[in-house]
Amino acid sequence: MNRFAKLCSVIALFVLLPLVFAGHDYGQALSKSILFFEAQRSGFLPSTQRVQWRANSGLNDGKASGVDLVGGYYDAGDNVKFGLPMAFTITMMSWSIVEYGRQMAGSGELGNAMDAVKWGTDYLIKAHPQPYVLYGEVGDGNTDHYCWQRPEDMTTSRQAYMIDPTNPGSDLAGETAAAMAAASLVFRQSNPSYANELLTHAQQLFEFADKYRGKYDSSITVARPYYQSVSGYADELLWAAVWLYKATTNEYYLSYLGDNGDALGGTGWSMTEFGWDVKYAGVQTLVAKLLMGGETGHYAPIFENYQQKAEFFMCSCLGKGSQNVQKTPGGLIFRQRWNNMQFVTSASFLLAVYSDYLTSAGKNLICNSGSVAPSELLSFAQSQVDYILGDNPRATSYMVGYGSNYPRQVHHRASSIVSIKVDPSFVTCRGGYATWFSSKAGDPNILTGAIVGGPDAYDNFADERENYEQTEPTTYNNAPLLGLLARLNGGHSGYNQLLPDSSPSPIAIEQKMTTSWNANGKTYYRYFTVLTNKSGKTLKGLKLSIAKLYGPLWGLTKSGDSYFFPEWLGSLPAGKSLEFVYIQSASQADISVSSYDMV
């Protein structure tokens, strides 16, 4: 069957599937889940900050070490910046956009999701000042947990910890490489220079991780009580390699996956969990995608072993495998009492993308119990999301601010203490415990969109601030949910999920040659260009880069080497277009978006 016929058959399959799910407002949940990341921001907050009860914090981070480490995300309800979970968060947000950015654009949230990724990658760039140096933590859990303070007030240690060739951390460097490679796909169209910068960092970090091997928590020992790398670094090396192959199509990374699949466990480990520590299921899912898309070279037999392990994971989640995951009586995936939701959202995301990969390939999942249609994987992922949003024995929404019955005493310093903008009185280290932590009142600031740790093995949940195992949120709980909610809200639209990755831009640029003429022995062409705001928001601060432009241009304002809106146009509303023309005796110019804001 030729490529066109295959594509047509795939589209026909999608037509048979329901495009949009009913029941919960997945679009609202998506918007709220992205908003949560603005509450987790560290550093100088931008003028576009929507979570207004937060203010600047951590403005001297890195200063004592002679490096600028201002920015990034606090991982959870504390004020520490842990590099490993932060990088995993960024990888999963980026994967969400790579797979389901079209659906995000349709709901007007793509710009916000990309902003959330960039807030993280801007920090990771700072944290990687030299090829073989990476800062992996600012602050430490011991001193931080002794205090209960707003980020804006914190008096705890802000010491920075790094890895280098003498003190390696292949898991940390590998995950950070994966994050930057995945994020480069997000920005490839809209900000190619930034995407290239991320890719350079990713390649350097992968080389560092592979050349100087070791566990990061043996070098940054203060991280061990909080984010111990139990699985080691082999999974992160494969994880980084698969993302670098997707970002570069460089055969070196494909060969790395093929040559090291057995030695590093990619073809050997049968997993029933996926998260910030253990990446094997994610690696196996992505390699299976490469296999189904025909991107295997002579490694097909090895990649089939990766796929077998990916399908072991899927079957286990569905309860149709040889070793199935535990579920609560209400049907929620359950692995552990402490922040169980991290495993629920990550597993559900993998089920959703694998469902779409199978549909694109025209295949079913084969489990011990028999053949499983791709739609069954997606339905199970949806059931997990619906449980999170309130379809559970307690009728509780585990997303703060969604529905009417959600956690009101979240284990989160900034949320539980009155905003510094409302009461600027200094909150002392221990005074915060006495006044705010121990309060039985609801949080003064609603941590909108946060996914808390969730219920126990029997669907029980205690909404109490001191119950950190169940009421503390984390960034990596939310990150996989971005893509999953976008998929459930926007449907699929018949897109072949096995095609090369290319995150969509909310800005479309179309060029066409409208006329030509000869003069003085040369042929001149008039190019008509239409720039359209495809998002649901207003486009402002547009900056264009135009290469291979050799003639005059009308309809834009030039400043330096960049082009901006014409003086009479300050913004471009949702769905509207801007037109401009240029003339030259050459083929069309290369026009790309350097930066923009969506408001």
Side-chain angles (χ1 to χ4, degrees), residues 98 159 351 492:
V98 167
Q159 182 175 342
L351 286 159
H492 199 285

Side-chain angles (χ1 to χ4, degrees), residues 471-506:
T471 64
E472 185 171 21
T474 69
T475 57
Y476 45 91
N477 289 8
N478 276 60
L481 203 56
L482 268 59
L484 188 52
L485 288 168
R487 173 65 176 88
L488 295 176
N489 180 58
H492 199 285
S493 306
Y495 177 73
N496 183 353
Q497 216 78 5
L498 300 179
L499 292 175
D501 296 305
S502 181
S503 176
S505 169

Side-chain angles (χ1 to χ4, degrees), residues 143-384:
T143 60
D144 182 88
H145 289 194
Y146 181 75
C147 299
W148 194 264
Q149 292 176 289
R150 297 176 294 213
E152 297 83 359
D153 285 330
M154 59 182 166
T155 55
T156 52
S157 168
R158 301 305 291 171
Q159 182 175 342
Y161 302 87
M162 71 176 186
I163 56 173
D164 58 22
T166 305
N167 303 283
S170 300
D171 29 22
L172 174 62
E175 180 59 68
T176 309
M180 293 174 127
S184 75
L185 290 167
V186 171
F187 296 103
R188 177 183 288 169
Q189 291 189 24
S190 63
N191 196 342
S193 61
Y194 188 67
N196 290 337
E197 182 181 8
L198 291 172
L199 207 48
T200 297
H201 283 280
Q203 290 168 323
Q204 291 176 350
L205 283 164
F206 178 74
E207 181 180 296
F208 174 31
D210 195 36
K211 186 175 182 179
Y212 299 99
R213 295 191 179 187
K215 287 177 58 177
Y216 95 104
D217 58 11
S218 295
S219 299
I220 305 178
T221 55
V222 294
R224 192 177 300 158
Y226 305 97
Y227 290 101
Q228 181 179 3
S229 182
V230 177
S231 69
Y233 55 77
D235 52 336
E236 277 86 6
L237 290 175
L238 295 173
W239 181 239
V242 71
W243 278 112
L244 277 161
Y245 176 71
K246 289 167 70 66
T248 65
T249 65
N250 186 326
E251 292 292 323
Y252 170 79
Y253 300 110
L254 191 72
S255 298
Y256 191 95
L257 291 165
D259 295 338
N260 294 282
D262 292 342
L264 296 178
T267 60
W269 282 103
S270 299
M271 303 307 304
T272 57
E273 69 172 279
F274 172 57
W276 62 262
D277 181 27
V278 187
K279 316 291 165 49
Y280 283 117
V283 173
Q284 292 155 354
T285 299
L286 287 171
V287 173
K289 179 182 182 181
L290 297 178
L291 181 67
M292 285 187 274
E295 299 179 72
T296 58
H298 65 280
Y299 291 107
I302 296 173
F303 285 9
E304 287 172 0
N305 292 333
Y306 277 99
Q307 184 177 29
Q308 289 173 6
K309 300 305 180 183
E311 300 207 339
F312 177 93
F313 177 86
M314 307 301 162
C315 295
S316 297
C317 291
L318 294 174
K320 296 177 180 290
S322 59
Q323 180 184 345
N324 297 321
V325 301
Q326 180 183 349
K327 297 185 180 73
T328 69
L332 185 73
I333 290 173
F334 186 83
R335 179 163 186 80
Q336 65 184 39
R337 178 179 168 86
W338 190 344
N339 190 21
N340 181 64
M341 281 304 184
Q342 62 179 303
F343 303 109
V344 177
T345 59
S346 294
S348 299
F349 177 84
L350 291 189
L351 286 159
V353 295
Y354 204 71
S355 168
D356 288 336
Y357 298 163
L358 288 171
T359 303
S360 294
K363 296 182 178 180
N364 284 354
L365 173 68
I366 306 301
C367 296
N368 283 14
S369 62
S371 179
V372 179
S375 59
E376 190 170 338
L377 280 76
L378 190 59
S379 294
F380 180 74
Q382 183 193 10
S383 75
Q384 300 299 288

